[in-house]
């Protein structure tokens, strides 16, 4: 009987691992930068940063003092040791971090069933949270380093007799990973604050659980090196972040709070959207099913808690579940009152942290629930995860997928070496196929037509859309210079001022893919 039981466990383990690998490969095929059919300029900036990396100026995303450049920096290192193209390097680094984050976070689960469900939520998120796997957004790399930190912390909790030097190295590594996550996303301070509070509570409970005074004193003495290590490493982490912000090439007004009326407007929009989704008034009935399952699951969890209130007071309740649950709640509240959410049309992508934290919390909690309650909750989570597969705009199981966007941009390589000036969404993306020979920048919003008689002595960067000032110089020095009409110009003027330089049309308009371009040359004065 024991042999049969072990064989069944081995088979289930093999099947689960195989499905997780399949989910990872399907996600890479669908969302990797070099395969995605809807690559945009936000993603392209990461590709260009990987090729044109300049430190310390590029420690943050071009033109702002947030979103740490972990992916471009690692991709730049990969470019130095391989023959990959920049878009391929970005793809492998992004998914390497996603895989590392998944492996580390999944070690917190006890069953392969939970890991399988988490793989679906992580690698194939519902469309509202695709930015979790897309390049140019912090959520995937942020949780990757968070997962590595939690993996190390969990290992330290399980290994009681490590050598002191090894223990201190691991503590330093975990702390640095947490600060790396904070560098990548400022919102991570919520997670770190909650983790610190839970850690202090856990240590205080451990120290005071016995009555032996001498034993408690010895334990305190053992913890002193840990505390000193954390303080020193935290000072290093904070210093690095302050340095990175000081060296940033720009700032973004994302740290403010909305007014009370704006918060009410955001709440009204979220509630209205939720009601429409729950009542099947949206285009996708599967999304409505997903939302209904979530509400039922939350309601059932509350009902279970009302019958098992003592559960929260017992040691069975996992600290990790509490950590992610509180992170979901407090992050949601902070994002809700953020003016950045309001001015960006209440995009749900900013709640990606809440999405992953909620999945982690529910899966960790449900693992502790036995009997019929546990089975029903697991079924609800499984159905939600399966629904996410069918919510993808392009079926992930399709034999044929849309061609990668970078392939559509290959005709622009025939114009190289060249520079392009266009609207933001029609600029940086054009260079993603060949950053070595193509230079791009969004247009100067204060440029005039026709050109003024006298050029300005000093031309500042006059729009936040121009994320890279040195890219402007490269564009203007390009032997072949093109304006991109899309979403900017009504027609191609005979002359136009851009960045203090007068450009004269020197070629007939032409169309490449969906982009209308015309050649210009710099007027010599």
């Amino acid at each position: 009987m024991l042999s049969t039981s072990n064989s069944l466990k081995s088979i289930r383990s093999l099947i689960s691992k195989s499905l997780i690998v399949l989910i990872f490969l399907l996600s890479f095929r669908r969302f990797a930068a070099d395969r995605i059919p809807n690559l945009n300029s936000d993603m392209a900036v990461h590709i260009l940063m990987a090729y044109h990396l300049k430190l310390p100026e590029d420690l943050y995303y071009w033109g702002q003092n947030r979103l740490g450049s972990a992916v471009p920096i690692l991709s730049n290192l990969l470019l130095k040791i391989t023959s990959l193209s920049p878009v391929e390097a970005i793809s492998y680094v992004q998914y390497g971090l996603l895989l590392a984050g998944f492996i580390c976070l999944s070690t917190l689960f006890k069953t392969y069933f939970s890991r399988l469900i988490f793989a679906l939520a992580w690698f194939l998120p519902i469309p509202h949270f695709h930015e979790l796997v897309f390049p140019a957004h912090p959520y995937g790399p942020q949780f990757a380093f968070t997962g590595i930190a939690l993996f190390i912390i969990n290992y330290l909790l399980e290994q009681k007799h490590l050598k002191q030097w090894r223990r201190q190295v691991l503590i330093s590594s975990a702390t640095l990973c947490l600060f790396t996550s904070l560098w990548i996303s400022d919102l991570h301070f919520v997670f770190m604050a909650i983790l610190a509070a839970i850690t202090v509570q856990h240590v205080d409970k451990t120290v005071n659980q016995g009555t032996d005074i001498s034993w408690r004193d010895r334990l305190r003495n053992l913890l002193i090196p840990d505390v000193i290590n954390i303080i020193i490493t935290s000072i290093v982490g904070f210093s690095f972040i302050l340095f990175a912000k000081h060296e940033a090439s720009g700032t973004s007004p994302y740290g403010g709070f909305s007014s009370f009326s704006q918060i009410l407007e955001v709440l009204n929009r979220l509630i209205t959207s939720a009601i429409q989704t729950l009542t099947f008034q949206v285009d996708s009935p599967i999304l409505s099913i997903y939302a209904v399952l979530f509400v039922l699951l939350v309601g059932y969890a509350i009902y279970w808690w009302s019958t098992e209130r003592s559960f929260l007071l017992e040691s069975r309740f996992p600290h990790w579940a509490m950590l992610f649950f509180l992170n979901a709640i407090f992050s949601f509240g902070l994002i809700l009152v953020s003016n950045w959410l309001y001015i960006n049309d209440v995009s749900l992508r900013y709640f990606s942290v809440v999405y992953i934290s909620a999945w982690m919390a529910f899966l960790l909690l449900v693992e502790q629930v036995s009997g019929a309650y546990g089975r029903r909750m697991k079924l609800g989570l499984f159905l939600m995860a399966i629904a996410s597969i069918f919510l993808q705009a392009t079926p992930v199981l399709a034999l044929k997928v849309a061609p990668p966007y970078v392939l559509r941009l290959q005709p622009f390589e025939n114009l190289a070496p060249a520079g392009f000036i266009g609207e933001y969404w029609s600029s940086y993306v054009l260079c993603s196929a060949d950053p070595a020979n193509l230079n791009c920048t969004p247009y100067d919003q204060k440029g005039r037509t026709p050109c003024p008689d006298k050029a300005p002595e000093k031309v500042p960067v006059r729009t936040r859309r121009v994320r890279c000032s040195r890219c402007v110089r490269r564009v203007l020095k390009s032997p072949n210079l093109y304006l991109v009409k899309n979403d900017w110009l009504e027609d191609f003027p005979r002359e136009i001022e851009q960045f203090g330089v007068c450009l004269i049309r020197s070629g007939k308009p032409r169309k490449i893919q969906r982009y209308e371009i015309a050649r210009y040359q710099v007027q010599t004065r």
Side-chain angles (χ1 to χ4, degrees):
M1 289 293 293
L2 184 60
S3 176
T4 302
S5 177
N6 290 335
S7 297
L8 289 174
K9 287 182 179 179
S10 298
I11 293 173
R12 285 197 295 266
S13 172
L14 179 61
I15 293 174
S16 297
K17 289 178 180 178
S18 299
L19 289 174
I20 289 171
V21 171
L22 177 62
I23 292 168
F24 171 79
L25 294 175
L26 289 173
S27 178
F28 184 85
R29 177 183 181 233
R30 173 67 179 84
F31 299 119
D34 63 335
R35 289 166 170 76
I36 192 171
N38 55 338
L39 187 75
N40 61 39
S41 280
D42 276 351
M43 304 175 194
V45 168
H46 262 51
I47 298 168
L48 303 184
M49 287 184 70
Y51 184 82
H52 296 291
L53 187 71
K54 182 181 179 181
L55 297 177
E57 183 180 338
D58 291 349
L59 284 172
Y60 279 110
Y61 194 79
W62 275 347
Q64 59 190 39
N65 61 347
R66 60 188 178 91
L67 208 172
S69 306
V71 173
I73 290 173
L74 292 174
S75 299
N76 182 263
L77 293 174
L78 190 60
L79 289 174
K80 292 181 183 300
I81 60 176
T82 68
S83 58
L84 294 172
S85 68
V87 67
E88 289 173 331
I90 285 288
S91 300
Y92 294 139
V93 168
Q94 174 78 5
Y95 265 83
L97 288 174
L98 286 172
L99 181 60
F102 169 78
I103 291 173
C104 291
L105 289 172
S106 65
T107 59
L108 302 180
F109 301 124
K110 296 179 180 179
T111 66
Y112 278 106
F113 181 75
S114 295
R115 292 167 188 164
L116 179 60
I117 292 177
F118 183 60
L120 288 168
W122 177 263
F123 291 117
L124 297 174
I126 63 175
H128 301 82
F129 305 112
H130 275 170
E131 281 75 8
L132 178 69
V133 292
F134 284 163
H137 299 280
Y139 314 112
Q142 170 193 348
F143 271 104
F145 284 99
T146 300
I148 295 170
L150 294 184
F151 173 80
I152 296 172
I153 294 171
N154 202 39
Y155 178 80
L156 286 168
L157 292 174
E158 293 176 352
Q159 301 296 323
K160 304 295 185 180
H161 304 291
L162 286 174
K163 292 182 179 180
Q164 187 62 240
W165 70 267
R166 182 173 295 176
R167 177 179 177 84
Q168 298 311 318
V169 167
L170 290 173
I171 289 175
S172 295
S173 300
T175 307
L176 288 175
C177 282
L178 289 172
F179 275 95
T180 301
S181 294
L182 183 61
W183 163 55
I184 294 172
S185 172
D186 290 356
L187 184 62
H188 186 66
F189 84 90
V190 175
F191 185 93
M192 292 179 67
I194 298 170
L195 178 61
I198 291 178
T199 301
V200 170
Q201 181 189 40
H202 175 74
V203 170
D204 180 69
K205 182 179 179 180
T206 303
V207 169
N208 296 297
Q209 67 181 357
T211 57
D212 188 342
I213 304 286
S214 61
W215 177 84
R216 286 155 57 184
D217 289 339
R218 286 197 303 272
L219 182 57
R220 287 192 181 96
N221 291 333
L222 287 172
L223 291 173
I224 288 175
D226 298 352
V227 174
I228 294 175
N229 187 354
I230 292 172
I231 291 174
I232 293 174
T233 311
S234 297
I235 291 174
V236 172
F238 272 121
S239 299
F240 170 75
I241 291 174
L242 291 174
F243 172 75
K245 289 187 179 294
H246 179 266
E247 295 295 321
S249 58
T251 59
S252 297
Y254 71 100
F257 296 103
S258 296
S259 65
F260 183 70
S261 60
Q262 290 173 335
I263 295 172
L264 290 180
E265 182 181 342
V266 169
L267 273 173
N268 180 62
R269 292 179 63 177
L270 290 174
I271 293 172
T272 301
S273 178
I275 292 174
Q276 289 175 343
T277 305
L278 290 170
T279 54
F280 291 81
Q281 298 180 51
V282 292
D283 293 336
S284 173
I286 298 178
L287 179 62
S288 294
I289 293 172
Y290 186 96
V292 169
L293 286 171
F294 175 74
V295 171
L296 291 175
L297 182 63
V298 171
Y300 194 74
I302 294 173
Y303 172 75
W304 161 81
W305 173 77
S306 68
T307 61
E308 298 284 344
R309 292 181 182 178
S310 61
F311 187 87
L312 294 175
L313 304 177
E314 298 176 7
S315 58
R316 291 183 298 157
F317 192 84
H319 284 104
W320 298 129
M322 179 62 73
L323 171 64
F324 283 103
F325 174 74
L326 292 176
N327 187 56
I329 295 297
F330 285 106
S331 294
F332 178 85
L334 188 60
I335 296 169
L336 184 68
V337 300
S338 168
N339 187 247
W340 191 253
L341 175 70
Y342 179 79
I343 64 178
N344 282 278
D345 202 31
V346 197
S347 174
L348 291 181
R349 72 172 183 267
Y350 296 112
F351 294 96
S352 295
V353 170
V354 179
Y355 167 82
I356 285 298
S357 296
W359 269 107
M360 288 292 300
F362 266 108
L363 286 168
L364 288 166
L365 178 61
V366 169
E367 283 193 335
Q368 307 297 315
V369 182
S370 58
Y373 286 119
R375 289 192 296 272
R376 290 165 187 162
M377 289 184 188
K378 288 176 183 177
L379 177 61
L381 290 172
F382 180 71
L383 292 175
M384 285 179 63
I386 292 298
S388 69
I389 296 177
F390 299 98
L391 279 171
Q392 309 305 321
T394 301
V396 295
L397 298 177
L399 296 178
K400 292 184 178 181
V401 295
Y405 201 83
V406 288
L407 290 181
R408 297 171 58 186
L409 298 175
Q410 284 185 346
F412 286 95
E413 297 180 39
N414 298 327
L415 305 177
F420 298 91
I421 300 176
E423 195 273 336
Y424 178 79
W425 298 108
S426 302
S427 55
Y428 290 123
V429 69
L430 298 182
C431 290
S432 56
D434 188 12
N437 299 300
L438 301 177
N439 297 295
C440 300
T441 183
Y443 69 95
D444 175 8
Q445 291 182 338
K446 295 187 178 180
R448 290 171 285 180
T449 301
C451 298
D453 294 333
K454 185 179 179 180
E457 296 180 1
K458 184 178 180 182
V459 182
V461 173
R462 295 181 284 190
T463 168
R464 68 183 182 91
R465 287 295 195 180
V466 181
R467 296 191 172 278
C468 173
S469 58
R470 65 180 188 269
C471 297
V472 173
R473 295 190 291 271
R474 287 198 298 266
V475 167
L476 295 177
K477 290 180 180 179
S478 298
N480 301 297
L481 180 59
Y482 296 88
L483 298 191
V484 185
K485 180 180 176 181
N486 300 56
D487 303 317
W488 172 28
L489 300 168
E490 292 185 4
D491 53 35
F492 290 105
R494 188 186 69 83
E495 63 178 51
I496 183 172
E497 179 212 6
Q498 284 290 290
F499 305 102
V501 175
C502 186
L503 304 178
I504 308 296
R505 194 178 69 200
S506 61
K508 293 182 178 180
R510 57 188 294 194
K511 190 171 184 178
I512 300 179
Q513 295 294 337
R514 68 178 187 86
Y515 300 98
E516 294 184 64
I517 66 173
R519 187 174 179 178
Y520 281 72
Q521 63 183 18
V522 176
Q523 182 185 52
T524 57
R525 300 190 181 186

